[in-house]
């Protein structure tokens, strides 16, 4: 049986070559790639200025700190209820209160929910584009401007995609990028990179002061090998990752450091440059794969690709199962059929009224393989397996009651 795996990165030889050269030359932490990446990103996101960092969350931390000094009485930050949990932790660790906004069908923050949460304590709104699907950010930008509230364009999952003629990441006061696993530009895991994009020039002084002279991230050589072993080569290395970790500990290599603010390491910056060179190809493949899933599934009314639109880039393909179907049961039968899946993010507290839609949608989402090794035949097989599993886990009668409206149901 052919196994169909999730993918963590779309890498060519160029990414490996850049990384191994940094290792061989002993330029893992510092080196010329950092400056080159700074220039490359600043050019891409002009007239904004880019500051490459070790994490996307480092950019959020720095931005919130700067915002806080500008509006001392404001301590609430609005974020969507469906989001990467590290964002929730980052906001709280920075000393702010999190207010959760609901999401729409596209899994993105709902502008009307943002508007109802705004008050005179609101410091900022964080607007992510989940799995690359653009949020309704122009509307939210206008709302934030009118309310004199800061806005972070959280483009962690998407690099180089335009929306209404502007690159995602350039809306609001600052933008953020992340280069962690399963994003668009991937250099590794946990601290492999990210960037702060400065859009509002009034903040230039404070932001550049906070980002300048940050040390380059350390221990990235071991982190890189860990990424290869436990993510990129997982299908070959299997459970040996466990022994690898034991060996790693026994040799006292790279102890887990507390998350600290740092600039991106040279090794990771080199990989990021190679990834940015290949962005058009990476985008094109993902557009095609989303299209193939949509075409396969539109015959089955009950399963949706909720973020799909013709020609739209999606970094990951999420399927929305019908209400009442257990995502766990579907995932188990897919696993037996050789298809690896993942669940979506879990909303923080279930049954909260302010985000009932997020709570309802999140538990019905499964991620299916969408890496560059996935062919049209694979997509067909995966979709057949999903359908078979749905048939066996719910009575067909139940499904026929449900009608699903997809804007692009062809
Ligand atoms: C991954 C992610 C982040 C955080 O990025 P890190 O580099 O892991 O800190 C922030 N926002 C969103 C939407 C993300 O997906």
């Amino acid at each position: 049986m052919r196994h169909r795996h999730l993918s963590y990165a779309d890498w060519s030889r160029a990414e490996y070559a850049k990384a191994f050269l940094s290792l061989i030359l002993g330029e893992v932490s510092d080196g010329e790639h950092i400056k080159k990446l700074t220039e490359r990103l600043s050019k891409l996101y002009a007239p904004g200025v880019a500051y490459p960092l070790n994490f996307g969350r480092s950019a959020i931390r720095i931005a919130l700190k700067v915002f806080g000094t500008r509006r001392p009485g404001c301590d609430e930050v609005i974020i969507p209820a469906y989001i990467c949990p590290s964002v929730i932790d980052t906001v709280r660790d920075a000393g702010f209160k999190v207010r959760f906004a609901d999401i729409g069908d596209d899994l993105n923050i709902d502008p009307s929910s943002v508007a109802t949460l705004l008050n005179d304590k609101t410091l900022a709104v964080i607007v992510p584009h989940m799995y690359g699907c653009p949020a309704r950010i122009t509307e939210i930008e206008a709302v934030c401007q009118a309310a004199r509230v800061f806005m972070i364009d959280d483009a962690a999952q998407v690099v180089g995609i335009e929306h209404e003629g502007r690159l995602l990441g350039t809306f609001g006061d600052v933008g953020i990028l992340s280069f962690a696993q399963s994003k668009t530009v991937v250099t590794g895991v946990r601290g492999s990179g990210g960037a702060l994009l400065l859009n509002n020039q009034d903040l230039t002084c404070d932001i550049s002061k906070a980002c300048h002279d940050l040390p380059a991230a350390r221990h990235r050589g071991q982190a890189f090998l860990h990424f290869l072993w436990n993510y990129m080569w997982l299908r070959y290395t299997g459970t040996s990752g466990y022994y690898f970790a034991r060996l790693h500990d026994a040799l006292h290599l790279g102890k887990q450091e507390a998350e600290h603010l740092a600039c991106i390491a040279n090794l990771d910056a080199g990989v990021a440059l190679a990834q940015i060179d290949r962005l058009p190809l990476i985008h094109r493949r993902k557009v095609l794969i989303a299209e193939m899933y949509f075409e396969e599934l539109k015959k089955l009314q009950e399963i949706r690709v909720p973020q799909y639109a013709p020609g739209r880039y999606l970094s990951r393909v999420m399927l929305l199962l019908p209400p009442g179907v257990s995502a766990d049961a579907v995932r188990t039968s897919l696993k037996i059929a050789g298809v690896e899946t993942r669940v979506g993010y879990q909303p923080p507290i279930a049954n909260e009224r302010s985000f009932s839609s997020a709570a309802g949608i999140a538990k019905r989402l499964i991620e299916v393989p969408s890496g560059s090794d996935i062919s049209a035949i694979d997509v067909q097989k995966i979709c057949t397996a999903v359908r078979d599993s749905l048939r066996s886990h719910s009575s067909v009668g139940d499904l026929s009651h449900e009608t699903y409206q997809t804007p692009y149901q062809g």
Side-chain angles (χ1 to χ4, degrees):
M1 179 172 60
R2 172 159 151 61
H3 284 265
R4 289 160 180 102
H5 297 274
L6 295 169
S7 111
Y8 299 101
D10 179 343
W11 278 15
S12 70
R13 272 191 213 155
E15 285 84 348
Y16 286 102
K18 279 261 174 53
F20 282 114
L21 206 57
S22 297
L23 280 173
I24 291 163
L25 296 176
E27 294 177 349
V28 172
S29 221
D30 292 300
E32 60 180 18
H33 293 320
I34 300 175
K35 186 162 166 269
K36 278 194 192 145
L37 179 66
T38 307
E39 288 165 3
R40 188 75 189 270
L41 288 175
S42 293
K43 200 168 150 201
L44 184 62
Y45 290 97
V49 181
Y51 297 94
L53 301 168
N54 56 339
F55 277 101
R57 68 196 78 167
S58 301
I60 296 179
R61 246 166 85 183
I62 291 171
L64 290 180
K65 191 156 178 228
V66 167
F67 297 165
T69 60
R70 298 294 181 101
R71 310 264 158 81
C74 300
D75 65 352
E76 290 184 7
V77 176
I78 299 175
I79 66 175
Y82 184 77
I83 194 166
C84 171
S86 70
V87 176
I88 305 172
D89 297 340
T90 303
V91 173
R92 288 188 177 142
D93 291 349
F96 298 101
K97 292 194 188 100
V98 172
R99 302 294 307 273
F100 293 105
D102 211 352
I103 59 166
D105 252 13
D106 60 356
L107 314 184
N108 281 323
I109 191 165
D110 177 358
S112 62
S113 181
V114 171
T116 61
L117 290 171
L118 286 172
N119 64 49
D120 45 357
K121 291 267 178 205
T122 312
L123 177 69
V125 182
I126 301 180
V127 186
H129 310 282
M130 297 314 292
Y131 312 121
C133 175
R136 287 160 61 188
I137 196 159
T138 2
E139 286 168 62
I140 300 171
E141 190 181 48
V143 168
C144 288
Q145 267 165 4
R148 294 182 38 76
V149 161
F150 290 107
M151 190 180 101
I152 298 179
D153 180 355
D154 182 345
Q157 303 187 355
V158 48
V159 178
I161 294 291
E162 282 191 3
H163 176 65
E164 298 182 4
R166 287 163 68 186
L167 272 181
L168 296 177
T170 64
F171 292 80
D173 300 282
V174 303
I176 79 149
L177 307 177
S178 167
F179 306 148
Q181 82 285 4
S182 307
K183 316 272 181 181
T184 294
V185 164
V186 180
T187 56
V189 278
R190 281 194 63 80
S192 64
L196 177 58
L197 308 173
L198 170 63
N199 304 328
N200 175 355
Q201 298 195 347
D202 290 347
L203 304 173
T204 304
C205 195
D206 293 352
I207 297 276
S208 71
K209 209 185 286 169
C211 295
H212 265 293
D213 299 325
L214 285 175
R218 295 185 306 138
H219 306 305
R220 296 304 309 168
Q222 292 97 321
F224 173 70
L225 296 178
H226 162 75
F227 178 61
L228 294 186
W229 207 264
N230 296 301
Y231 290 83
M232 297 302 275
W233 300 341
L234 188 61
R235 66 188 75 172
Y236 316 110
T237 54
T239 52
S240 67
Y242 168 77
Y243 300 102
F244 181 84
R246 293 278 300 263
L247 180 71
H248 203 257
D249 289 348
L251 298 176
H252 301 292
L253 293 168
K255 294 170 244 29
Q256 276 286 332
E257 271 192 291
E259 277 169 29
H260 57 296
L261 287 180
C263 173
I264 192 169
N266 187 60
L267 181 149
D268 299 308
V271 177
L273 285 165
Q275 286 265 277
I276 293 169
D277 283 341
R278 294 181 52 251
L279 266 183
L281 178 68
I282 293 172
H283 288 160
R284 213 157 44 235
R285 280 179 177 159
K286 291 282 191 183
V287 169
L288 268 175
I289 287 174
E291 184 103 54
M292 294 191 296
Y293 272 106
F294 174 77
E295 288 300 321
E296 273 303 314
L297 290 170
K298 76 178 184 198
K299 304 169 205 157
L300 301 170
Q301 294 286 308
E302 68 265 28
I303 308 159
R304 291 177 42 198
V305 188
Q307 301 189 293
Y308 175 81
R312 178 180 286 164
Y313 164 82
L314 294 177
S315 61
R316 291 153 72 168
V317 175
M318 305 301 291
L319 304 186
L320 183 63
L321 301 173
V325 171
S326 152
D328 282 344
V330 172
R331 291 187 66 222
T332 305
S333 12
L334 284 172
K335 191 174 172 193
I336 294 165
V339 180
E340 193 186 2
T341 59
R342 260 189 299 208
V343 291
Y345 300 116
Q346 298 312 306
I349 323 148
N351 306 323
E352 174 112 355
R353 274 181 95 190
S354 69
F355 52 89
S356 53
S357 168
I361 290 176
K363 54 177 188 266
R364 292 161 49 205
L365 288 174
I366 60 169
E367 180 187 352
V368 283
S370 67
S372 57
D373 58 336
I374 295 294
S375 68
I377 309 260
D378 290 324
V379 170
Q380 226 173 43
K381 292 248 158 87
I382 293 167
C383 292
T384 305
V386 175
R387 190 197 56 209
D388 290 349
S389 133
L390 269 195
R391 294 279 179 267
S392 63
H393 290 297
S394 56
S395 72
V396 178
D398 285 348
L399 293 178
S400 61
H401 291 306
E402 304 284 350
T403 48
Y404 293 93
Q405 302 292 308
T406 300
Y408 303 102
Q409 203 79 51

